[in-house]
Amino acid sequence: MKKSFFKLLIFILTMNSSFAQNNTAEEEIIQLSKQKWQWMADKNVDKLTPLFDDKSVFVHMGGSWGKTQEINVIKSGGIHYKKADVHEVSVNIIDNTAILLNKITLLAVVGGNEVTNPFIVTEVYVKGINGWKLGSLSFTKVMTPEK
């Protein structure tokens, strides 16, 4: 009976510890994503460059490209992410990978035209020895009206 109780206690403590670690990682990713939107709005490529993994990919309505082109687009103002209003956010952690979904309304300037679009944005982060890096950022335009 004591052995069973002890095993149950260890199991509960282990589960609680694992749950707390995932919650901490989820909060870290949510904060990192918020910072990223602000850095994109500020065109702060000095902060964005180390966040984007060298092999990262970016999927937009008009095409897809890698880190260098995304940094150049942000720096030049080809796309100016002026403001992302985040309506919903969720994070799933799988080993050293975090998948964040943002439901946003994005105010941006694209090719000199100010546009507002509702998107679901998928952000994939991978944790390495130097912390979390953005591996992918994909915009999916939502066709249903906002609530």
Side-chain angles (χ1 to χ4, degrees):
M1 179 76 174
K2 284 184 179 179
K3 277 187 175 180
S4 295
F5 177 74
F6 185 70
K7 286 179 181 176
L8 179 63
L9 182 62
I10 295 295
F11 175 76
I12 290 170
L13 291 174
T14 303
M15 292 301 293
N16 193 25
S17 175
S18 176
F19 181 73
Q21 287 175 355
N22 272 348
N23 278 347
T24 301
E26 289 172 6
E27 284 302 317
E28 186 179 355
I29 292 298
I30 290 169
Q31 290 305 314
L32 192 56
S33 176
K34 285 181 184 175
Q35 287 178 323
K36 172 205 43 74
W37 287 121
Q38 188 59 53
W39 295 336
M40 291 170 91
D42 296 340
K43 300 181 186 179
N44 190 340
V45 294
D46 292 336
K47 294 283 189 179
L48 291 168
T49 299
L51 175 64
F52 298 167
D53 188 89
D54 289 343
K55 296 178 182 175
S56 58
V57 293
F58 299 84
V59 181
H60 296 271
M61 292 182 353
S64 61
W65 47 77
K67 174 182 178 174
T68 301
Q69 187 169 350
E70 182 71 10
I71 291 295
N72 288 338
V73 163
I74 292 169
K75 193 175 186 177
S76 71
I79 299 175
H80 181 197
Y81 304 92
K82 291 179 81 174
K83 185 171 190 232
D85 285 326
V86 178
H87 307 295
E88 292 178 29
V89 63
S90 65
V91 178
N92 286 315
I93 306 286
I94 304 169
D95 296 328
N96 66 341
T97 303
I99 303 168
L100 179 140
L101 295 179
N102 272 323
K103 190 171 184 179
I104 69 167
T105 301
L106 180 64
L107 172 62
V109 177
V110 181
N113 299 312
E114 191 168 277
V115 292
T116 302
N117 286 301
F119 289 107
I120 294 176
V121 179
T122 305
E123 300 173 34
V124 178
Y125 294 87
V126 178
K127 191 167 191 173
I129 56 173
N130 295 320
W132 292 102
K133 294 265 191 175
L134 182 70
S136 176
L137 178 73
S138 300
F139 291 85
T140 303
K141 187 172 180 181
V142 179
M143 301 307 284
T144 57
E146 292 182 44
K147 295 178 184 176

